[in-house]
Amino acid sequence: TGKVRLVERYIYNRQQYVMYDSDVGHYVGFTPFGEKQARHWNSNPIRLKYMRAAVDTLCRYNYEVFRPFTVERR
């Protein structure tokens, strides 16, 4: 479970404009609008704290729940 990561991508018109990656720890913008959104979301410490906690509460928890059905299945 050490390599679990959360990636949240925002796509409009088949173009990714902003992304959150838990390995990076903040939002990254890819278009002018995405950069503006990323700056806005990165300036909100509560939102960043929620996203960092979501790795533990969502990803690692669900990994342990579904591991017998996915990883250990042969």
Side-chain angles (χ1 to χ4, degrees):
T1 61
K3 291 191 173 193
V4 174
R5 83 185 224 200
L6 172 69
V7 176
E8 184 175 85
R9 298 170 31 179
Y10 291 87
I11 299 170
Y12 178 75
N13 230 7
R14 294 189 289 173
Q15 182 178 12
Q16 179 175 313
Y17 63 95
V18 71
M19 175 183 84
Y20 177 83
D21 187 350
S22 63
D23 286 349
V24 177
H26 58 83
Y27 288 92
V28 178
F30 298 102
T31 65
F33 175 72
E35 291 173 359
K36 183 178 176 184
Q37 278 305 121
R39 275 194 307 275
H40 176 69
W41 290 339
N42 287 332
S43 68
N44 185 349
I46 295 171
R47 185 178 184 116
L48 289 178
K49 187 176 181 181
Y50 171 80
M51 292 303 292
R52 291 178 184 134
V55 176
D56 293 324
T57 58
L58 297 174
C59 299
R60 287 195 177 98
Y61 174 78
N62 287 328
Y63 178 82
E64 290 298 325
V65 171
F66 292 106
R67 183 178 52 167
F69 305 105
T70 57
V71 178
E72 296 174 1
R73 185 176 169 165
R74 306 230 185 236

